[in-house]
Amino acid sequence: MNMNTPDWHALDNEAALAHHDADAASGLTDKEAAARLMRHGPNRPPAHPGMSAWQRLAAQLAAPLVLVLIAAGLVTAFLGEWVDAGVILGVVIVNAAIGYLQEGKATAALAALAHSVATDVTVLRSGQRRRMDAVHLVPGDVVVLAAGDKVPADLRLLHGKELRTVEAALTGESLPIDKHHQPLPADTRLADRRNMAYAGTTIVGGQGMGLVVATGGGTETGRIAHLIASAPDLDTPLTRKMASFAGVLLWTILGLAALTFVIGLARGETAFAMFMAAVALAVGAIPEGLPAAITITLAIGVSRMAKRRAIVRHLPAVEALGSTTVICSDKTGTLTENSMTVRALWAAGQLYELTGHGYVPEGELRINGQKVGAGGTAREALLAGLLCNDAGLHQAKDQWQITGDPTEAALIVAAHKAGVTATAPRLDELPFDASRQTMATLHTIEGERIIYAKGALEKLLPACDGVDQAAIEAVAVDLARQGQRVLALCRRPASADLLQASDLASGLTFLGLVGMIDPPRPRAIAAVKACHAAGIRVKMITGDHAETALAIARQMNLIEGAGRALTGRQLAALDDAALAIVVRDSDVFARVEPEQKLRLVQALQANGEIVAMTGDGVNDAPALKAADIGIAMGLGGTDVAKEAAAMVLTDDNFATIEAAVKEGRGIFDNIVKFITWTLPTNIGEGLVILAAVVAGATLPITPLQILWINMTTAVLLGLPLAFEPVEGKVMRRPPRPPAAPILDGVLVGRIVLVGILMLAGSFGLFLLALERGAPLAEARSIAVNVFVMIEIVYLFNCRSLTRPLWTVAPFSNPWVWAGAGTMIVLQLLFTYLPLFHQLFGTAPIGARSWLEILACGGVALLVIEVEKALRRQ
């Protein structure tokens, strides 16, 4: 809101109209409306272009390891090594294509936002009512509102009759809001501005008229669009760790290559020969298959998550959930079912429980857990709720849907669950009135005219005869403490053909109380427990009232005891430093506005947390985009939320997040397994080149042979690790510390150990073969096969980085066996097929050499298992 824009909710009608030079009786003239349309622009959020196709492709090529591969390919091409260059650049192209295609769906949050508010509208122009496209609305227009309308712009209400709106998508408030036109204090929070109607919300009852005070980007919805556009696109934990890892690896490789070059020159070798040796070392030390392996592992994770009803829109987000330390969840529609449900009925001194979920009319009436029938006063109380009702319930495509007020729909569902039905024509009614807070209807039942009434207990109870008011009020207070909305149900005989307000002033018979709430999803309760066991904190951030938020939080075990909810007003009084402290210890935040959700996410990130944010409303979108991973609801979520998120849950179930966290942790484990498996080969190859240069010996393996080893083993041996099933205890360990490197000291030590084993085996057998008089091609064939053999046995070591090899189910990943078998066949062709002799400079080897190669593999297998056993102790 700019400095010249007043607080519309604080102005009276005359002041608001005067500010826009508008007339409530006739609206704007066509000429004036056209001039304002030119000045203010169309009523749609401003468009913000996303990344173009070439920018998305360039982003795939900008990763440090990919850049090193491109440089290596260009250098080898410059040196005329066209096969080497072609293989390297082919790897780059395949990796970029996979990532580009997976992330090809551009983020269209703002386009979805424009769609969410597009509607036809009734407007006063030149004294006449007209239907027109809302895109042509301008500030100063007077809009006519009726039940079922979508609010087309931000409106200051001028008058209304029983006007109610649903604002859950904007504020998180789960109940319809009663509206009026009286001025409010200037510091009234967004969710409490009852004299305003906001763009994108829905009218569910009554009628009214409002003055357009903001359109397009100036609306509250437009302001959220700006927050979405300005929220930075964060790197995921994996991309940050890989960037750091790639940097260390890059400088290590360049340092070793330079050292090789300098040592060779010092020994009197030619500069060209040493340059080729340095290139060979660099090519050997670069894990060419790593970028593609990570991309494919993530893509496999996308497929697995889709089967678990989670659609991933941004590839690295697959792993990000596994790194999550805090999940910030919206309440309405995420932790809860987003459907008002009658949970309690108190009638004739007896408390009944109603089971079932959502608007599905299936459930039971129970007392102390035992099913009972609806009879006597309990039946008539449910009948009163069914008849004194303007909502509707119908089934469409296996989904139960409602029309009208969700609170009234809950009463219809409750009656159906208890088997209460009736056909009683409505003869007259007293509509719900905000000041009266009651509704009454007149019916003929079995020849008798009956008035049924429902409404606020404090309005109806004083008019009831012969009741224990204190006892009833005590029950109502107890239900309210559980976060339930309490309604009273009454009846009386009719004394006339028409209803009068005086009929509700006395002579009522009290039937009972109903308590209703938007209940938590049962699977979400179990999922929260599983997240806590995995060391992940779950925080509720909602626009709903604090009492309701605390009641749901207690049912979900988010808090213990009475607990405490911080409200948006309290958060607004905190600076960033104070907020960062408060957010550590508080798990429930209520009456929170969109920018405050964004601030909470950013405060948690400032504390070093990896934040997942879930939500379904327009008001959740900025925080969804700013979180390390945003998770939107696919069924009940708005288009804006879905497009701002990195992941969409197709079943709207918080429990799916727990499954996705488990899958994400498994994906990260498999990436670490691949890195732990592949780097020893690169280290061993680099060390072999360096050792040969230092010793003044012939290179045991050529650059092309190095590429053969790296590319074939990466595909056939490394990629099967992407299919490793998630290990059993993955959800019983705490999240990885956000600052922890991708490889810990134990794994780095193991990588170096295996690299040294490869150096010793390959260089040792190479020199031994030359000493026996074997040709150079045969000696090099032996060296290459040593590398591959150790890689094969080490692959089985890496199926679990901590547990013994024999405790891993041998056939839980058949791809490992298929890859190992195919690799053995390829090595036999590499060693004995003449075509390979010509391409790679190899030669056949004898049985004794094979036994020595197998011995190297056996020693490596034994050493690694001993090392793992020592680490476990």
Side-chain angles (χ1 to χ4, degrees):
M1 190 172 288
N2 63 48
M3 296 297 292
N4 297 320
T5 303
D7 293 319
W8 297 109
H9 57 278
L11 301 182
D12 59 24
N13 288 3
E14 291 73 19
L17 287 163
H19 189 279
H20 279 299
D21 193 18
D23 187 334
S26 61
L28 299 175
T29 64
D30 290 334
K31 181 179 179 180
E32 177 61 22
R36 294 189 185 192
L37 186 62
M38 291 290 293
R39 188 160 66 247
H40 295 282
N43 178 31
R44 62 168 64 99
H48 295 268
M51 290 178 66
S52 65
W54 73 265
Q55 286 174 320
R56 296 202 313 274
L57 180 60
Q60 298 295 328
L61 300 173
L65 277 179
V66 175
L67 291 175
V68 173
L69 282 177
I70 292 172
L74 293 175
V75 169
T76 51
F78 177 76
L79 296 174
E81 302 292 338
W82 299 109
V83 175
D84 304 39
V87 172
I88 294 173
L89 295 178
V91 171
V92 171
I93 292 170
V94 169
N95 177 69
I98 292 171
Y100 177 82
L101 292 174
Q102 182 62 43
E103 297 177 10
K105 294 181 180 179
T107 301
L110 299 170
L113 190 59
H115 173 73
S116 76
V117 297
T119 183
D120 285 339
V121 61
T122 301
V123 63
L124 282 178
R125 288 277 176 91
S126 299
Q128 296 180 338
R129 292 192 178 192
R130 300 178 187 174
R131 291 291 289 176
M132 55 184 282
D133 192 328
V135 75
H136 300 304
L137 282 180
V138 296
D141 266 327
V142 176
V143 174
V144 179
L145 301 170
D149 287 348
K150 182 177 283 187
V151 179
D154 283 3
L155 308 179
R156 171 62 170 86
L157 297 174
L158 300 176
H159 67 79
K161 183 178 181 181
E162 323 303 340
L163 192 66
R164 282 175 288 167
T165 65
V166 170
E167 299 180 347
L170 181 66
T171 67
E173 169 65 69
S174 56
L175 294 172
I177 309 297
D178 297 317
K179 294 293 184 178
H180 60 74
H181 64 273
Q182 301 302 322
L184 293 169
D187 63 349
T188 303
R189 308 298 294 174
L190 178 70
D192 298 317
R193 296 174 188 169
R194 300 201 169 204
N195 59 6
M196 299 289 295
Y198 291 108
T201 61
T202 304
I203 308 296
V204 294
Q207 56 189 1
M209 190 173 286
L211 173 71
V212 175
V213 296
T215 60
T219 64
E220 288 297 323
T221 305
R223 186 170 59 84
I224 291 172
H226 175 72
L227 289 174
I228 297 171
S230 60
D233 292 315
L234 296 181
D235 291 332
T236 67
L238 178 65
T239 55
R240 291 196 293 268
K241 291 177 188 296
M242 286 306 302
S244 174
F245 171 72
V248 172
L249 192 62
L250 173 60
W251 287 110
T252 301
I253 291 169
L254 292 178
L256 285 174
L259 181 63
T260 301
F261 186 79
V262 170
I263 291 175
L265 288 181
R267 291 186 56 85
E269 304 288 346
T270 66
F272 179 79
M274 286 304 95
F275 184 75
M276 288 303 297
V279 169
L281 185 146
V283 170
I286 294 172
E288 291 92 347
L290 181 56
I294 290 175
T295 302
I296 292 170
T297 302
L298 293 175
I300 291 169
V302 168
S303 176
R304 284 182 176 177
M305 285 190 176
K307 294 176 182 177
R308 290 177 174 263
R309 301 184 180 275
I311 297 173
V312 177
R313 301 180 65 250
H314 180 50
L315 205 57
V318 183
E319 179 277 333
L321 264 181
S323 307
T324 298
T325 59
V326 174
I327 298 175
C328 294
S329 179
D330 179 43
K331 176 185 72 68
T332 306
T334 306
L335 293 172
T336 67
E337 296 179 349
N338 197 19
S339 53
M340 293 302 294
T341 306
V342 174
R343 279 287 181 244
L345 168 66
W346 190 80
Q350 183 67 59
L351 184 64
Y352 297 84
E353 173 195 357
L354 283 95
T355 64
H357 302 287
Y359 294 120
V360 179
E362 297 174 0
E364 296 177 348
L365 193 66
R366 294 179 177 178
I367 297 177
N368 298 324
Q370 299 296 316
K371 181 181 177 180
V372 296
T377 305
R379 183 186 184 282
E380 190 162 16
L382 290 169
L383 181 62
L386 177 66
L387 295 178
C388 187
N389 201 307
D390 289 328
L393 177 70
H394 64 280
Q395 190 173 17
K397 296 181 180 180
D398 299 325
Q399 291 274 336
W400 284 94
Q401 299 176 354
I402 67 165
T403 55
D405 190 322
T407 300
E408 292 192 316
L411 293 172
I412 295 176
V413 174
H416 280 291
K417 288 177 180 177
V420 176
T421 59
T423 302
R426 181 182 297 186
L427 305 178
D428 196 16
E429 67 178 275
L430 281 177
F432 180 86
D433 180 87
S435 60
R436 192 170 56 239
Q437 296 184 45
T438 58
M439 175 184 176
T441 54
L442 174 62
H443 303 269
T444 298
I445 299 179
E446 296 179 355
E448 182 183 3
R449 295 194 173 189
I450 304 290
I451 296 171
Y452 286 116
K454 74 172 188 296
L457 178 65
E458 61 270 23
K459 298 293 184 180
L460 291 175
L461 189 58
C464 293
D465 297 333
V467 294
D468 184 345
Q469 292 195 15
I472 294 172
E473 288 171 347
V475 173
V477 168
D478 185 57
L479 293 175
R481 282 176 180 157
Q482 299 173 41
Q484 298 188 33
R485 183 185 186 188
V486 180
L487 291 179
L489 299 166
C490 303
R491 63 160 285 174
R492 66 164 291 171
S495 57
D497 292 339
L498 298 176
L499 278 173
Q500 303 291 332
S502 58
D503 290 329
L504 304 183
S506 62
L508 297 180
T509 298
F510 182 80
L511 296 176
L513 299 173
V514 289
M516 62 183 69
I517 195 171
D518 179 15
R521 298 173 182 267
R523 287 184 59 195
I525 297 174
V528 167
K529 182 178 180 181
C531 287
H532 286 163
I536 302 170
R537 292 188 67 177
V538 180
K539 296 178 183 288
M540 179 194 295
I541 303 177
T542 179
D544 214 339
H545 293 280
E547 296 80 7
T548 306
L550 283 171
I552 296 295
R554 281 191 287 270
Q555 292 179 51
M556 304 204 69
N557 298 314
L558 289 179
I559 56 174
E560 296 179 358
R564 173 172 175 255
L566 285 178
T567 65
R569 189 179 295 275
Q570 292 169 317
L571 295 176
L574 301 175
D575 60 21
D576 290 345
L579 182 61
I581 296 172
V582 166
V583 78
R584 288 196 194 105
D585 303 319
S586 300
D587 289 327
V588 181
F589 302 88
R591 302 308 271 174
V592 176
E593 297 186 3
E595 62 266 50
Q596 292 176 328
K597 291 189 177 187
L598 184 59
R599 279 191 71 203
L600 286 168
V601 168
Q602 292 169 338
L604 287 164
Q605 290 171 330
N607 287 340
E609 306 285 1
I610 303 298
V611 181
M613 171 75 192
T614 76
D616 60 354
V618 174
N619 59 329
D620 297 318
L624 287 172
K625 186 178 179 188
D628 293 281
I629 176 166
I631 307 167
M633 303 296 111
L635 290 177
T638 60
D639 287 344
V640 186
K642 295 174 194 174
E643 296 296 341
M647 180 182 293
V648 178
L649 304 184
T650 61
D651 60 357
D652 284 16
N653 199 328
F654 185 87
T656 303
I657 298 174
E658 179 226 336
V661 168
K662 181 177 180 180
E663 203 65 58
R665 290 188 173 188
I667 288 165
F668 182 83
D669 285 352
N670 288 348
I671 289 173
V672 172
K673 289 174 184 177
F674 179 88
I675 294 173
T676 304
W677 170 83
T678 194
L679 285 187
T681 302
N682 303 111
I683 290 175
E685 290 164 346
L687 290 176
V688 163
I689 301 296
L690 182 60
V693 170
V694 170
T698 305
L699 294 182
I701 47 178
T702 66
L704 196 56
Q705 290 170 346
I706 289 173
L707 276 175
W708 166 265
I709 296 171
N710 290 356
M711 299 313 304
T712 56
T713 59
V715 173
L716 295 173
L717 301 181
L719 285 185
L721 287 173
F723 295 92
E724 278 296 311
V726 179
E727 295 193 36
K729 296 183 178 180
V730 72
M731 289 299 284
R732 293 200 291 273
R733 71 187 191 206
R736 299 185 308 277
I742 200 164
L743 296 174
D744 60 22
V746 171
L747 294 181
V748 170
R750 186 176 302 165
I751 288 167
V752 172
L753 173 61
V754 178
I756 292 172
L757 290 173
M758 288 181 171
L759 164 66
S762 61
F763 199 28
L765 290 188
F766 171 78
L767 294 177
L768 181 61
L770 290 179
E771 187 177 321
R772 291 172 178 164
L776 179 61
E778 182 181 335
R780 282 177 168 168
S781 297
I782 293 171
V784 170
N785 278 296
V786 169
F787 271 101
V788 173
M789 182 57 65
I790 293 179
E791 284 190 88
I792 289 173
V793 298
Y794 184 47
L795 172 66
F796 289 90
N797 290 119
C798 287
R799 293 192 65 194
S800 174
L801 298 177
T802 55
R803 292 185 291 132
L805 169 63
W806 52 87
T807 65
V808 179
F811 300 107
S812 60
N813 183 2
W815 293 102
V816 170
W817 293 96
T822 305
M823 194 67 230
I824 290 171
V825 171
L826 277 182
Q827 280 307 113
L828 292 173
L829 295 176
F830 177 86
T831 306
Y832 295 106
L833 199 66
L835 176 63
F836 283 84
H837 299 166
Q838 296 173 9
L839 287 175
F840 294 98
T842 57
I845 60 177
R848 182 170 66 171
S849 297
W850 279 117
L851 290 174
E852 292 166 347
I853 292 167
L854 288 171
C856 287
V859 168
L861 181 71
L862 181 61
V863 168
I864 299 307
E865 287 303 320
V866 169
E867 185 265 348
K868 282 203 281 188
L870 293 175
R871 297 289 187 185
R872 287 193 298 273
Q873 295 177 358

